[in-house]
Amino acid sequence: MDRAELTVQAPPERVWELVSDITRAGEWSPEATGGRWRGDATGPAVGARFVGLNRHGVIRWPTHCRVTECEPGRRFTFVVTESRTAWGWVLTPTDDGAGTHVAAWRESVGVPALPVRLLQRSGLLGRDRETMMRDGLEQSLQRVRTIVEASAG
């Protein structure tokens, strides 16, 4: 499992509003450009499905995702079908109640589909994909903090 953590000077509910809105993922993610809910889903809920939109250089691709944890103000997790990777956020109020300790994580939950494994090994999505993904967690957290704290003012 890869995990990155930091503290945001805003309450958990405000952080939650951003990280659980998959349509806004492009605002903080180095690779995701956003997403759209599928079927009857209009927002985060356990079992809700969405298509995630991604890009790396000129390469663009969709992913098919399902929300597996959804606790407003606390947790948001989804699994990407193609890569068999779970991505999640854990939000904990700071002791003084003025901020939020935010953890972003990702974990393999199975063997990726063969086309995904071949693409990952090809180098088209970066020579050291695993390092890029770990660094992406840190970058995402920094951007989330910037967005949330800027909107608090």
Side-chain angles (χ1 to χ4, degrees):
M1 175 189 288
D2 295 323
R3 185 179 177 103
E5 304 177 39
L6 57 66
T7 299
V8 174
Q9 296 306 310
E13 296 74 24
R14 185 172 264 140
V15 179
W16 165 262
E17 288 173 12
L18 180 63
V19 301
S20 66
D21 185 348
I22 58 97
T23 67
R24 295 183 65 188
E27 293 179 38
W28 70 81
S29 172
E31 234 175 44
T33 61
R36 61 180 187 276
W37 296 104
R38 293 177 51 202
D40 294 336
T42 58
V46 171
R49 295 183 182 276
F50 66 92
V51 174
L53 305 172
N54 305 277
R55 54 104 182 84
H56 182 86
V58 297
I59 300 172
R60 298 181 186 282
W61 69 97
T63 55
H64 299 86
C65 309
R66 183 176 49 85
V67 176
T68 57
E69 287 186 300
C70 185
E71 296 178 44
R74 300 194 53 172
R75 298 180 76 86
F76 180 65
T77 305
F78 62 90
V79 174
V80 178
T81 301
E82 294 84 356
S83 67
R84 311 293 197 280
T85 302
W87 295 84
W89 299 89
V90 179
L91 312 175
T92 309
T94 56
D95 290 340
D96 65 5
T100 305
H101 180 77
V102 182
W105 59 272
R106 74 175 190 115
E107 178 178 38
S108 174
V109 293
V111 177
L114 180 59
V116 173
R117 291 193 317 263
L118 293 173
L119 183 59
Q120 289 171 338
R121 292 178 188 152
S122 73
L124 291 173
L125 298 179
R127 293 283 172 213
D128 187 351
R129 187 88 179 134
E130 288 303 306
T131 298
M132 286 176 54
M133 293 292 97
R134 284 190 296 275
D135 291 349
L137 286 174
E138 294 284 351
Q139 292 169 23
S140 293
L141 273 174
Q142 294 293 336
R143 291 176 183 164
V144 163
R145 177 166 57 190
T146 298
I147 293 165
V148 171
E149 289 179 355
S151 72

